[in-house]
């Protein structure tokens, strides 16, 4: 029996729609508390405990709350994907004292508990009450503006930017948080990845905004919980195997549940915008109280058609246009040819983002005309959507720079670049991502590159090793490429994205294309493009 962590979650999370203290435990099958531990708990807490640790914990946690002078909370239990890893959680109101109770509960479980733990928690409660050390989340009675939560594996930042643009074009003052920073009416007020609760709170607490658009990543949900009690519109774009092996989450099904927190906390009077073409997203419907507004591009999608035939609203991308279906009637919003973000429909994943943003706009009450205007005036360029599918012409080549950082992102990048190429030129790809991906994901990138590219430049990401030694990631990718017969396509391994990009220019000619997985040195790559006279796609 081992304690893996004690964590205070300040908002809705995988375990509950409210703040919880999480005890992460690793247990062997059939493990039991010792007789000494049972006797110590009886002496200090006056409780008789079963020998099973998980059966004993709710009683211990409740008795500790009573001893400190707090109401015993409901205790939850969930087995996670990592074998033997279980999360025990309980609602909390006072931070330091609740953490002390959790520590004391573990001490009693392991045989080290004494009455001193009660004194420590009681003293902590006094300090908590004096300092107001309570959960840091925005309650519904504190939130003064409509809020939109946007989650998914890919496309979050683009969808966030597009929806914020739509709203600003209607004259509203908008704040948004994203992987590139926090913005208030288009001005960056904090730089960096703010897809967690800190960024969301900064937006929600700004006194000047009228709408909050909050990009929400799984890391913040797992490590801190959501920043708010509920949202008015929740958007769930997609889910794929990325960022697994964190906090006991090892399967894509559990990852979908983590991300699904964003739509599960959508108000019953609000709208949850769900991707009908992703079964794992659609499965979250069962736990969503809000209206389900589905979006999708597959006309043969049975779930989407059933939803529409039963009177549900949907945003569909079919027949070269984006349309709103309501009460069985379709109203065209815009032709894909008039939506620059989608490159005339060639960027299938951008079509998905456009549908999702349109659905969120419907949920907020924007008119068809307002949504159409927003879609028609937002471009995937350096001004509006830097780092996301930015396309350049350079000496007869196409260069596509994108924050593709996982398998599905690379698939979309290569597929789009092929569609955009004229003729039968070579496609070179600059390949690599952050180190906190499973070995299988890194190998998968190599397999996709062999399948979709003619020239492969493997690059290091030294600022994003995230625990891996330098060279390990590139070795895994290279081995996967060679195992698929792609040895001859490897042009080399490069110390960074800029070095790989400069090398790619020597390996390509007029009529060729370069697709860049760019997660680290985007500004340097853009400067190099500008220096060489590249022009953005018109």
């Amino acid at each position: 029996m081992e304690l893996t962590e004690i964590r205070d979650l300040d908002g809705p999370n995988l375990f509950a729609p409210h703040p919880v203290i999480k005890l992460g435990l690793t247990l062997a099958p059939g493990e039991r508390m010792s007789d000494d531990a049972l006797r110590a708990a009886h002496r200090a807490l006056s409780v008789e405990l079963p020998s099973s640790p998980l059966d004993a914990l709710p009683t211990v946690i409740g008795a500790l709350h009573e001893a400190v002078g707090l109401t015993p909370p409901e205790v939850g239990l969930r087995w996670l994907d990592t074998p033997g890893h279980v999360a025990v959680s309980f609602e909390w109101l006072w931070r330091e004292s609740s953490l002390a109770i959790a520590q004391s509960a573990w001490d009693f479980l392991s045989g080290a508990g004494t009455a001193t733990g009660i004194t420590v928690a009681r003293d902590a409660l006094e300090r908590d009450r004096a300092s107001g050390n309570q959960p840091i989340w925005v309650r519904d009675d504190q939130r003064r503006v409509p809020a939109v939560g946007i989650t998914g594996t890919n496309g979050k930042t683009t969808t966030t930017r597009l929806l914020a643009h739509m709203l600003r074009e209607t004259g509203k003052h908008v704040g948004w948080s994203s992987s590139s920073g926090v913005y208030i009416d288009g001005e960056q007020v904090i730089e960096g990845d703010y897809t967690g609760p800190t960024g969301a709170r900064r937006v929600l607490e700004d006194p000047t905004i009228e709408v909050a658009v909050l990009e929400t990543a799984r890391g913040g949900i797992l490590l801190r919980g959501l920043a708010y009690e509920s949202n008015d519109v929740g958007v769930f774009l997609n889910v794929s195997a990325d960022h697994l092996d964190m906090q006991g989450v090892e399967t894509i099904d559990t990852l979908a549940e983590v991300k699904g927190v964003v739509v599960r906390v959508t108000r019953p009077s609000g709208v949850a915008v769900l991707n009908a073409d992703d079964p794992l997203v659609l499965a979250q419907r069962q736990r969503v109280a809000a209206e389900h507004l589905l979006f999708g591009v597959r006309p043969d999608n049975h779930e989407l058609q059933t939803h529409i035939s039963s009177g549900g609203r949907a945003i569909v991308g079919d027949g070269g246009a984006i349309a709103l279906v309501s009460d069985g009637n379709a109203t065209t919003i815009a032709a894909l040819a008039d939506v620059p973000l989608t490159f005339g429909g060639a960027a299938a994943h951008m079509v998905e983002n456009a549908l999702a943003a349109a659905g969120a706009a419907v949920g907020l009450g924007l008119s068809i005309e307002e949504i159409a205007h927003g879609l028609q005036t937002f471009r995937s360029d350096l001004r509006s959507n830097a780092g996301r599918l930015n396309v350049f012409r350079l000496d007869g080549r196409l260069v596509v720079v994108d924050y593709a950082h996982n398998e599905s992102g690379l698939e979309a990048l290569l597929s789009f670049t092929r569609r955009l190429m004229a003729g039968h030129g070579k496609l070179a790809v600059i390949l690599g991502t952050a180190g906190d991906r499973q070995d299988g994901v890194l190998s998968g990138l190599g397999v996709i590159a062999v399948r979709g590219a003619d020239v492969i430049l493997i690059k290091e990401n030294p600022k994003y090793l995230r625990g891996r030694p330098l060279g390990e990631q590139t070795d895994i990718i290279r081995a996967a490429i060679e195992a698929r017969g792609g040895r001859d396509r490897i042009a080399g391994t490069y110390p960074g994205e800029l070095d790989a990009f400069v090398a790619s220019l020597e390996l390509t000619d007029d009529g060729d294309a370069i697709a860049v997985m760019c997660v680290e040195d985007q500004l340097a790559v853009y400067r190099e493009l500008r220096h060489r006279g590249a022009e953005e796609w018109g």
Side-chain angles (χ1 to χ4, degrees):
M1 184 164 52
E2 179 183 351
L3 176 68
T4 57
E5 73 166 351
I6 294 175
R7 178 173 295 279
D8 47 329
L9 296 167
D10 281 78
N13 53 79
L14 177 62
F15 313 106
H18 50 68
V20 299
I21 300 294
K22 171 196 170 189
L23 287 85
L25 306 176
T26 301
L27 299 176
E31 195 156 7
R32 292 289 182 264
M33 292 174 62
S34 68
D35 291 340
D36 287 344
L38 293 170
R39 283 192 289 269
H42 179 70
R43 285 195 302 271
L45 301 172
S46 300
V47 292
E48 296 288 343
L49 298 177
S51 61
S52 165
L54 297 184
D55 291 338
L57 259 178
T59 301
V60 172
I61 291 170
L64 284 166
H65 276 78
E66 288 183 335
V68 170
L70 295 170
T71 303
E74 182 178 344
V75 178
L77 183 153
R78 175 174 178 142
W79 289 97
L80 297 174
D81 300 327
T82 306
H85 189 169
V86 62
V88 177
S89 60
F90 62 89
E91 189 171 3
W92 65 280
L93 185 61
W94 302 103
R95 190 183 309 275
E96 190 181 344
S97 52
S98 297
L99 290 169
I101 287 172
Q103 181 62 56
S104 185
W106 163 250
D107 291 341
F108 279 112
L109 213 64
S110 61
T114 66
T116 302
I118 299 172
T119 303
V120 170
R122 193 177 288 137
D123 291 345
L125 180 58
E126 289 186 15
R127 292 192 295 273
D128 283 337
R129 285 174 167 158
S131 62
N133 194 5
Q134 295 187 291
I136 306 173
W137 62 324
V138 179
R139 304 298 301 268
D140 284 346
D141 59 3
Q142 299 168 323
R143 178 162 64 82
R144 62 173 190 82
V145 299
V148 182
I150 297 174
T151 195
T153 300
N154 293 308
K156 298 185 296 296
T157 300
T158 295
T159 306
T160 297
R161 291 170 173 173
L162 173 55
L163 179 60
H165 169 80
M166 287 181 180
L167 291 163
R168 293 188 69 207
E169 287 294 297
T170 69
K172 293 189 179 298
H173 297 289
V174 185
W176 67 96
S177 56
S178 73
S179 58
S180 59
V182 175
Y183 299 80
I184 303 298
D185 268 344
E187 294 295 322
Q188 187 180 68
V189 295
I190 311 178
E191 183 179 1
D193 185 347
Y194 279 87
T195 54
T198 300
R201 283 197 301 272
R202 172 63 180 85
V203 172
L204 290 168
E205 293 169 357
D206 191 281
T208 68
I209 67 165
E210 296 173 285
V211 186
V213 184
L214 311 170
E215 179 182 346
T216 310
R218 61 92 189 85
I221 298 172
L222 283 170
L223 298 175
R224 299 304 320 165
L226 289 183
Y228 50 82
E229 184 175 1
S230 75
N231 56 54
D232 301 281
V233 177
V235 180
F236 195 170
L237 291 162
N238 48 56
V239 61
S240 60
D242 189 33
H243 281 306
L244 297 177
D245 285 343
M246 179 182 183
Q247 298 288 308
V249 176
E250 295 185 353
T251 68
I252 189 172
D253 297 87
T254 305
L255 181 62
E257 283 193 68
V258 174
K259 293 178 179 293
V261 171
V262 172
V263 289
R264 291 201 296 274
V265 302
T266 302
R267 286 180 170 181
S269 58
V271 176
V273 181
L274 304 168
N275 187 350
D277 295 332
D278 190 321
L280 288 171
V281 170
L282 209 54
Q284 296 301 310
R285 282 189 299 182
Q286 301 168 6
R287 300 169 65 183
V288 174
E291 176 197 350
H292 307 157
L293 190 158
L294 305 188
F295 68 91
V297 297
R298 287 173 35 209
D300 60 341
N301 185 320
H302 174 72
E303 294 287 352
L304 181 60
Q305 293 306 321
T306 300
H307 175 76
I308 290 172
S309 64
S310 63
R313 292 195 292 179
I315 300 288
V316 296
D318 188 23
I322 295 173
L324 168 65
V325 181
S326 181
D327 294 325
N329 299 310
T331 302
T332 298
I333 298 174
L336 289 178
D338 296 329
V339 181
L341 176 68
T342 72
F343 293 85
H349 58 303
M350 289 299 192
V351 174
E352 180 179 279
N353 297 336
L355 297 178
V362 169
L364 289 171
L366 270 66
S367 69
I368 294 293
E369 293 75 20
E370 289 170 332
I371 298 170
H373 175 74
L375 290 170
Q376 292 163 356
T377 54
F378 183 86
R379 308 184 71 84
S380 196
D381 58 18
L382 294 184
R383 190 178 72 85
S384 299
N385 203 25
R388 271 65 180 177
L389 214 65
N390 304 139
V391 182
F392 303 84
R393 291 186 177 92
L394 176 61
D395 299 331
R397 303 176 186 84
L398 279 178
V399 179
V400 184
V401 181
D402 187 64
Y403 188 71
H405 55 282
N406 51 39
E407 292 169 277
S408 54
L410 178 60
E411 290 266 22
L413 173 60
L414 292 177
S415 175
F416 167 72
T417 306
R418 281 287 187 199
R419 288 195 191 102
L420 217 57
M421 290 173 67
H424 303 283
K426 299 190 302 293
L427 172 54
V429 63
I430 295 173
L431 188 66
T433 188
D436 57 347
R437 265 68 181 184
Q438 295 170 299
D439 289 359
V441 171
L442 300 178
S443 296
L445 294 178
V447 172
I448 293 166
V450 171
R451 194 165 61 231
D454 306 298
V455 180
I456 303 170
L457 299 91
I458 308 172
K459 46 95 174 181
E460 295 279 9
N461 285 107
K463 297 176 187 175
Y464 288 83
L465 294 174
R466 294 178 177 172
R468 287 188 184 271
L470 189 68
E472 181 179 82
Q473 179 191 156
T474 53
D475 287 346
I476 293 171
I477 292 173
R478 176 182 286 272
I481 293 169
E482 293 179 348
R484 288 299 180 108
R487 181 192 296 268
D488 294 341
R489 301 191 201 181
I490 301 175
T493 300
Y494 302 86
E497 290 167 351
L498 179 59
D499 300 276
F501 174 64
V502 172
S504 73
L505 297 175
E506 300 299 321
L507 299 167
T508 55
D509 300 298
D510 188 357
D512 295 339
I514 304 167
V516 188
M517 294 183 73
C518 202
V519 301
E520 182 174 296
D521 287 330
Q522 291 177 350
L523 292 179
V525 171
Y526 293 143
R527 281 196 296 268
E528 187 68 22
L529 281 162
R530 205 161 41 237
H531 173 71
R532 292 175 180 265
E535 296 181 352
E536 282 198 76
W537 182 274

